[in-house]
Amino acid sequence: MLRRLRYRAGMHSGRLVGRGGATLASLARELGVSRTTVSNAYNRPDQLSPALRERVMKAAERLGYAGPDPVARSLRTRKAGAIGLLLTEQVSYAFRDPAAVAFLEGLTLECDRAGIGLLLVPASPDSDDVRSVTRAAVDGFVAYSMPEDDPFLAAMLARPVPTVISDQPATDAADLVGIDDRAAMRNMADHLISLGHKRIGVICMRLGRDQHNGVVDERRQEGAGYHVQRNRLAGLRDGFEAAGVAWDRIPVVERFDHSIAAGASAAGQVLELDPGITALVATSDVLAMGAIGELRRRHKRVPQDISVTGFDGVKAALDAGVTTVSQPVTAKGREAGRLLLDPAVRHRARQVMLPTTFVAGTSTAPHHG
Amino acid sequence: MLRRLRYRAGMHSGRLVGRGGATLASLARELGVSRTTVSNAYNRPDQLSPALRERVMKAAERLGYAGPDPVARSLRTRKAGAIGLLLTEQVSYAFRDPAAVAFLEGLTLECDRAGIGLLLVPASPDSDDVRSVTRAAVDGFVAYSMPEDDPFLAAMLARPVPTVISDQPATDAADLVGIDDRAAMRNMADHLISLGHKRIGVICMRLGRDQHNGVVDERRQEGAGYHVQRNRLAGLRDGFEAAGVAWDRIPVVERFDHSIAAGASAAGQVLELDPGITALVATSDVLAMGAIGELRRRHKRVPQDISVTGFDGVKAALDAGVTTVSQPVTAKGREAGRLLLDPAVRHRARQVMLPTTFVAGTSTAPHHG
DNA sequence: GTGATTCTGGAAAGCGCTTTCCAAGCCGCT
DNA sequence: AGCGGCTTGGAAAGCGCTTTCCAGAATCAC
């Protein structure tokens, strides 16, 4: 293995110096100066005369030396120059989820500003091999919407670097940025109740790491590893129970996948469980949009026959007039970045709660029963 | 600064051992075994008895040791476990561009599979400080759609690690994945000509690092640093000149920003330059969609009065029925990942050209002049 | 019981770099 | 001419880890 590596390195650099690449030391030897001097040429140009610096740079170019090795530099300075990001799913999946992309946009905004790299850490959900986390060379971590019992999350929290989590339950080991999912959803429940809806159905995103698709009992609701979903369901329950609606009569259907198709199929299942519902609550806009499509396919009018609500405030849903809760996803990413990278912020707050906005759309209407 | 770092580390680990964290060596000392043994406990469990390994792990937990330091490990093994990605723009901008997101999806798919991290390297376009590139601890690089004369690109190519570029001109220093932009656009030109269009306008994305908005002369077209745009224009020219249309009479308008709004304003400008055009060619779908909006706002019917074409095949454009060239952006990302990470592929090809598909939509129609 | 074989764990040699002193050399000033 | 202060560049001490030997202990076959 080592041998192969060397061979490759040799192949790539063309010029063989030592192991296949010039080092700061070999450059120094070549020039008859000390390593210090070469290092200074790169890192502290004011520490040597311009002439000498120029000589060093010339020699570097001649020998194909592209500057101090980043890893060795990091070891010495104890700075990696990057932060790691851990996501719910395989990284590639995140790029299909508009909310995750918006979060990334916000986070990278801060990384750009600080000149810090963002390392997307691969975390395969069907493996417990957390080495990708323990071996990530980073100065800090951000975790976005990970389930509580995730082994990658645990490995991350064990690392002795600052950490920020978002859309997850608070923990002493990390700073937090989030929204009040429960209150926002309670608000949504009140909206539906004020419209006269008492017989509703619910569709939600995955509640745990296990792949479950179908009806959710109360035990699963309360034990859900996904904090966000658990809180949204709880907020809904708060509202409906306060209005005297028995929660255990309300069908709640879970889907592991988060997609239009999953929303459609979940809506179908809810309708089979209780064809008499007058409103359907989805815990995300994507699911809501899927549900609306399915209802129309079944010749139910939205909102005249059935009201539908979403959550998140993604552009497509707002454009489609879905009644939803708009949350500042990009801002969440930014705040996470700030909490990690901006010393001023870092000293002030360890917890940032962002506001949400209720958006009354055209997918809900009064029920006259 | 160093002092502060130490202080912080101390704060976080709670328990001060040496510099604020246990090391493999301190653990070994504590246990009265050698460093080798502790290292083996983590990296080669088969090299020691389960009992001893257990003892090591217990002690590690007790001392808050989260495993071997990733940076030191990387230095020793000469592997960073990550590849770097360099993008046209600030990283945050990429997340607003559907094509870049699709590319990222494909690339991360391969990274996930290989268990390799993806480091998003910050490259501020208005700075020439390439240290973010020279200091990135990575085993390889991918560059996506960078202009030829970009200093970050140059710094990347100077590094002695394997590199793959996409949507850029070929270079000896890197492997390549791309499409034949010129041929695809030539195809589009032929389509318009077969419909009878001879008087057209063109809007294109940025052609260079300098912020230019407005009419593009031939010199700028041919000297464009953005290879992709240059080739698309060249393909268009090929087609129209072959049909006997003088290229220098065709207005070409450039926009630095890539957005719906930019497409709209560029379309407006073209119309002012030549109100008699019967077709408008955009070099991207985003610009095309902006243009269509603007034309409708000006009470031009598309396609009856003016035909419009795009390029890329992004979902929104396909849904809207834009005549375009669909290119496999996600596949480009995957191929870039494979070229870098899959030794088998790596040995076979150094250059991958992917096919494009012409998509006849409803935004083009025959011109009866 | 003896020699051969396998296991287990240790010693040592760096990986390539930064940075803190420190020692000359040099200049201008009196 | 002599002194103080400034500039320039070098020596050395690690940063924390992996891995290749290698030696001693334990096991086994006969």
Side-chain angles (χ1 to χ4, degrees):
Chain A
M1 190 57 206
L2 182 61
R3 187 143 319 154
R4 182 158 133 242
L5 208 66
R6 293 192 174 183
Y7 176 54
R8 279 257 214 95
M11 272 177 44
H12 274 95
S13 72
R15 205 175 316 245
L16 296 177
V17 179
R19 208 206 62 270
T23 70
L24 188 143
S26 73
L27 229 186
R29 212 178 312 122
E30 174 90 7
L31 282 164
V33 303
S34 79
R35 303 208 294 286
T36 311
T37 303
V38 180
S39 174
N40 282 337
Y42 282 93
N43 300 315
R44 317 167 76 171
D46 54 309
Q47 294 294 300
L48 34 51
S49 60
L52 180 55
R53 184 178 133 96
E54 194 50 35
R55 240 182 90 215
V56 172
M57 291 312 193
K58 277 278 197 311
E61 179 144 310
R62 187 158 44 77
L63 267 64
Y65 179 68
D69 180 281
V71 175
R73 182 169 207 286
S74 283
L75 176 60
R76 186 56 237 244
T77 59
R78 315 212 52 69
K79 266 182 182 325
I83 60 174
L85 175 63
L86 211 53
L87 294 159
T88 327
E89 280 271 350
Q90 295 196 98
V91 178
S92 54
Y93 176 96
F95 291 101
R96 275 176 244 142
D97 177 0
V101 169
F103 185 87
L104 270 161
E105 184 194 334
L107 182 56
T108 51
L109 216 57
E110 290 302 317
C111 289
D112 279 342
R113 178 207 301 278
I116 289 286
L118 182 67
L119 181 70
L120 305 178
V121 178
S124 167
D126 32 57
S127 145
D128 282 4
D129 179 1
V130 297
R131 280 180 302 182
S132 57
V133 173
T134 49
R135 292 185 178 176
V138 295
D139 300 322
F141 271 111
V142 173
Y144 178 66
S145 195
M146 304 277 296
E148 275 168 19
D149 56 348
D150 191 285
F152 294 90
L153 178 63
M156 188 190 85
L157 292 172
R159 295 258 321 243
V161 296
T163 297
V164 175
I165 59 181
S166 181
D167 284 357
Q168 285 172 224
T171 152
D172 282 348
D175 296 349
L176 178 71
V177 33
I179 60 171
D180 191 342
D181 288 286
R182 188 165 183 162
M185 202 51 145
R186 163 73 198 251
N187 217 32
M188 181 63 86
D190 292 345
H191 167 71
L192 288 172
I193 286 162
S194 75
L195 291 175
H197 297 283
K198 302 237 149 186
R199 197 157 162 194
I200 69 164
V202 180
I203 62 183
C204 67
M205 287 166 64
R206 69 174 71 166
L207 297 175
R209 297 191 79 216
D210 57 323
Q211 192 144 348
H212 175 83
N213 287 295
V215 179
V216 180
D217 58 23
E218 278 183 57
R219 206 153 143 265
R220 186 169 174 84
Q221 282 179 41
E222 276 150 26
Y226 284 91
H227 172 251
V228 166
Q229 295 293 308
R230 192 178 58 216
N231 278 344
R232 291 186 190 166
L233 291 177
L236 210 53
R237 180 178 187 159
D238 291 346
F240 278 94
E241 288 193 335
V245 178
W247 179 252
D248 56 10
R249 296 261 186 74
I250 296 178
V252 178
V253 168
E254 171 182 356
R255 283 293 179 272
F256 189 78
D257 275 347
H258 184 223
S259 63
I260 297 280
S265 93
Q269 189 174 356
V270 167
L271 236 44
E272 273 143 35
L273 290 164
D274 183 355
I277 59 169
T278 66
L280 182 58
V281 176
T283 60
S284 89
D285 283 342
V286 170
L287 293 179
M289 288 187 290
I292 290 173
E294 180 65 19
L295 293 177
R296 297 226 162 107
R297 228 165 288 130
R298 294 181 180 221
H299 309 294
K300 304 276 189 192
R301 292 169 305 164
V302 177
Q304 295 88 338
D305 299 331
I306 299 188
S307 288
V308 176
T309 70
F311 204 108
D312 284 342
V314 306
K315 186 168 180 312
L318 294 174
D319 287 350
V322 176
T323 294
T324 188
V325 172
S326 180
Q327 62 162 323
V329 190
T330 305
K332 273 201 282 196
R334 289 197 70 154
E335 289 301 331
R338 271 208 198 114
L339 227 33
L340 213 47
L341 299 171
D342 186 336
V345 176
R346 202 161 169 66
H347 274 265
R348 207 177 326 124
R350 316 225 65 112
Q351 198 152 330
V352 177
M353 289 312 257
L354 264 26
T356 59
T357 320
F358 174 79
V359 179
T362 54
S363 70
T364 46
H367 169 65
H368 308 287
Chain B
M1 189 57 204
L2 183 63
R3 189 143 317 153
R4 183 156 135 245
L5 206 66
R6 294 190 175 185
Y7 176 53
R8 279 259 212 94
M11 271 178 45
H12 274 94
S13 72
R15 205 175 314 245
L16 296 177
V17 179
R19 206 208 63 271
T23 70
L24 188 143
S26 72
L27 229 187
R29 211 178 314 120
E30 173 90 10
L31 282 164
V33 301
S34 79
R35 302 210 295 288
T36 311
T37 302
V38 179
S39 174
N40 281 338
Y42 283 93
N43 300 315
R44 316 166 75 169
D46 54 311
Q47 295 293 302
L48 35 51
S49 59
L52 181 55
R53 185 177 134 94
E54 194 49 36
R55 238 182 92 214
V56 172
M57 292 312 195
K58 277 278 198 312
E61 177 143 310
R62 186 157 44 79
L63 266 66
Y65 179 68
D69 181 282
V71 175
R73 182 170 206 285
S74 283
L75 176 60
R76 185 58 237 245
T77 58
R78 314 215 49 70
K79 268 181 180 323
I83 61 175
L85 176 64
L86 211 53
L87 294 159
T88 326
E89 281 271 352
Q90 294 197 99
V91 178
S92 54
Y93 176 95
F95 291 103
R96 275 177 245 141
D97 177 1
V101 170
F103 185 86
L104 271 161
E105 184 195 333
L107 182 56
T108 50
L109 216 57
E110 290 300 318
C111 288
D112 279 342
R113 180 209 299 279
I116 290 288
L118 182 67
L119 181 70
L120 306 178
V121 177
S124 166
D126 32 56
S127 146
D128 282 5
D129 179 1
V130 297
R131 281 180 301 183
S132 58
V133 174
T134 50
R135 292 185 176 175
V138 295
D139 300 321
F141 271 112
V142 174
Y144 178 66
S145 196
M146 304 278 295
E148 275 168 19
D149 56 348
D150 192 284
F152 294 92
L153 178 62
M156 187 188 86
L157 292 173
R159 295 263 317 248
V161 295
T163 296
V164 175
I165 60 182
S166 182
D167 284 357
Q168 285 173 224
T171 154
D172 282 350
D175 297 350
L176 178 71
V177 35
I179 60 170
D180 190 341
D181 287 286
R182 186 164 184 164
M185 201 53 144
R186 161 74 200 249
N187 217 33
M188 180 64 86
D190 292 346
H191 166 70
L192 288 172
I193 285 161
S194 75
L195 291 175
H197 297 281
K198 302 236 150 189
R199 198 157 162 192
I200 69 164
V202 180
I203 61 182
C204 67
M205 288 165 64
R206 70 174 69 164
L207 297 174
R209 296 190 81 214
D210 57 323
Q211 194 143 345
H212 174 82
N213 287 296
V215 178
V216 181
D217 59 21
E218 277 182 56
R219 203 152 144 269
R220 187 170 172 84
Q221 280 178 43
E222 276 149 25
Y226 284 91
H227 172 253
V228 166
Q229 294 294 307
R230 191 178 62 216
N231 278 343
R232 289 185 192 168
L233 291 176
L236 210 52
R237 179 177 189 161
D238 291 347
F240 278 95
E241 289 194 334
V245 178
W247 180 252
D248 55 11
R249 297 261 187 75
I250 296 177
V252 178
V253 168
E254 171 181 354
R255 283 294 179 272
F256 189 78
D257 274 347
H258 185 224
S259 63
I260 295 281
S265 93
Q269 190 174 355
V270 167
L271 235 44
E272 273 142 36
L273 290 165
D274 184 355
I277 59 169
T278 65
L280 182 59
V281 176
T283 61
S284 88
D285 283 342
V286 170
L287 294 180
M289 288 188 290
I292 290 173
E294 180 64 18
L295 293 177
R296 298 227 162 107
R297 229 166 286 131
R298 294 179 179 224
H299 308 295
K300 304 275 189 191
R301 291 168 304 162
V302 176
Q304 294 88 338
D305 300 330
I306 299 188
S307 288
V308 175
T309 70
F311 202 109
D312 284 343
V314 307
K315 188 170 179 312
L318 294 174
D319 288 350
V322 176
T323 295
T324 189
V325 172
S326 180
Q327 63 161 321
V329 191
T330 305
K332 274 203 281 198
R334 290 197 69 155
E335 290 300 330
R338 272 208 197 113
L339 228 33
L340 214 48
L341 301 170
D342 185 336
V345 175
R346 199 158 175 68
H347 274 266
R348 210 179 321 125
R350 317 226 63 112
Q351 199 153 329
V352 177
M353 291 311 258
L354 262 25
T356 59
T357 319
F358 174 79
V359 180
T362 55
S363 71
T364 47
H367 168 64
H368 307 289

